[in-house]
Amino acid sequence: MNAEELALRAQAMAERAMALAMEARAAAGEAMPAIEHGAAAAEPFLLLLTIFLLACFVGYHVVWSVTPALHSPLMGVTNAISSVIVVGAMLATGLGESWLAQAFGFLAVTLAAVNIFGGFLVTRRMLAMFQRKG
């Protein structure tokens, strides 16, 4: 093959790629309204439910695979995460427009506060086991 033949084949391939790109753009333009409608209808509930289920799954496996020596640091991190949850729950409660959003926000604040205080009590008892008696 010489350079001219290669250039002609490359030109033909580029034109074919351009035609395929135009076809793909047209197909995407036709499908976009259906995709946007389906995503808009399912997005709030399914997206948040998926995130919640994945967080439960990951959290379960992380907590159960922790060695006993790392339980105190894990409790400290859990308390820090719960404090962030309290701030988010307070925002949800205060900014909620429906009584249901406010009720769930209040429930989240209450449960996260119980988790924080209980975590501090458990951490304190665990650390007391390592102190010397004297």
Side-chain angles (χ1 to χ4, degrees):
M1 276 192 182
N2 60 16
E4 267 185 47
E5 193 175 317
L6 281 174
L8 287 175
R9 288 181 80 185
Q11 179 69 27
M13 290 177 79
E15 288 173 1
R16 177 72 179 139
M18 183 62 80
L20 288 172
M22 294 301 225
E23 287 178 32
R25 180 175 285 171
E30 292 172 6
M32 192 56 75
I35 292 171
E36 287 176 354
H37 175 70
E43 181 181 339
F45 179 73
L46 286 180
L47 177 68
L48 295 176
L49 180 66
T50 303
I51 291 171
F52 175 74
L53 292 175
L54 286 173
C56 290
F57 180 76
V58 169
Y60 174 80
H61 284 285
V62 166
V63 169
W64 285 109
S65 64
V66 170
T67 61
L70 296 176
H71 277 243
S72 291
L74 180 64
M75 288 299 293
V77 171
T78 303
N79 290 337
I81 292 171
S82 292
S83 65
V84 173
I85 292 171
V86 166
V87 172
M90 286 180 184
L91 284 172
T93 303
L95 298 175
E97 295 179 8
S98 69
W99 66 269
L100 187 62
Q102 291 177 347
F104 277 128
F106 176 77
L107 181 66
V109 169
T110 305
L111 292 176
V114 167
N115 187 30
I116 289 172
F117 296 124
F120 280 126
L121 291 175
V122 169
T123 303
R124 189 174 195 185
R125 287 187 66 187
M126 288 179 70
L127 291 175
M129 292 189 311
F130 296 107
Q131 290 180 349
R132 292 184 183 171
K133 297 182 169 108

